[in-house]
């Protein structure tokens, strides 16, 4: 079984400064990263559909993009590789999907999503991204935890319901 700096046994051995040697850099050729890139493509297509008022197509593309968030993480944890590139690309793809969706919803007449909701989602994601950069820049570990995963599920559920 592969180990990673997110394993409880290794957290104490992760250096407090410098790059984490146990996590390879990775490439776009790694399957989890390819799934993440597919999420970015599905996200763009979703936003294109929303721009054209094709809400049903946009909804299904959103569902596809949200499902790939689970798929890439599962693949990386189950079969590897967990990479530095994936640890950057995956949260970025998540943020583009969720923040972009709430901006679109706030701008859509009849969506009942107030602009302040989109601002709140954007602000939260910016704060977390800043904290992640600060912690991991110092060599620490800012891996996803269950509460963050549940937050993503709740945001996807809320966004999908608003699209319907």
């Amino acid at each position: 079984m592969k180990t990673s700096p997110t394993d409880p046994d290794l957290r104490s051995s992760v250096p407090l400064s410098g790059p984490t040697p146990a996590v390879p850099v990775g490439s776009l050729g790694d399957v989890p990263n390819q799934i993440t890139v597919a999420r970015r493509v599905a996200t763009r297509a979703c936003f294109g559909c929303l721009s054209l008022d094709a809400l049903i197509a946009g909804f299904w593309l959103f569902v596809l993009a949200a499902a790939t968030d689970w798929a890439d993480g599962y693949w990386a944890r189950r079969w590897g590789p967990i990479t530095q590139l994936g640890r950057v690309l995956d949260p970025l793809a998540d943020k583009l999907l969720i923040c972009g969706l709430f901006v679109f919803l706030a701008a859509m007449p009849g969506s009942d999503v107030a602009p302040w909701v989109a601002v709140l989602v954007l602000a939260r994601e910016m704060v977390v991204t800043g904290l992640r950069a600060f912690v991991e820049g110092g060599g620490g570990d800012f891996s996803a935890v269950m509460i963050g995963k549940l937050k993503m599920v709740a945001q996807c559920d809320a966004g999908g319901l608003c699209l319907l």
Side-chain angles (χ1 to χ4, degrees):
M1 183 170 156
K2 292 188 177 223
T3 58
S4 75
T6 59
D7 291 338
D9 298 338
L10 292 179
R11 284 187 187 234
S12 61
S13 65
V14 174
L16 295 177
S17 64
T20 306
V23 181
V25 173
S27 73
L28 289 177
D30 297 327
V31 172
N33 293 339
Q34 290 177 344
I35 295 171
T36 299
V37 169
R39 178 163 67 254
R40 299 213 28 211
V41 170
T43 297
R44 283 190 219 137
C46 170
F47 296 161
C49 288
L50 296 180
S51 296
L52 299 171
D53 290 329
L55 298 182
I56 299 301
F59 169 79
W60 287 111
L61 285 163
F62 175 75
V63 169
L64 174 67
T68 64
D69 180 37
W70 173 83
D72 69 358
Y74 177 79
W75 188 292
R77 285 185 299 278
R78 177 85 167 127
W79 294 291
I82 294 173
T83 65
Q84 290 177 12
L85 182 61
R87 288 173 57 124
V88 171
L89 289 180
D90 181 64
L92 177 61
D94 293 348
K95 286 164 184 25
L96 289 172
L97 176 64
I98 293 301
C99 293
L101 178 67
F102 279 96
V103 167
F104 268 94
L105 288 170
M108 266 188 212
S111 76
D112 293 330
V113 174
W116 68 265
V117 173
V119 171
L120 186 66
V121 169
L122 283 163
R124 187 252 177 228
E125 298 302 335
M126 289 172 61
V127 167
V128 169
T129 298
L131 286 173
R132 179 183 312 275
F134 178 76
V135 169
E136 291 195 352
D141 182 29
F142 201 90
S143 298
V145 293
M146 187 53 66
I147 191 74
K149 293 175 184 193
L150 293 174
K151 179 269 317 171
M152 180 66 172
V153 169
Q155 286 178 324
C156 288
D157 287 350
L161 288 173
C162 288
L163 280 175
L164 290 177

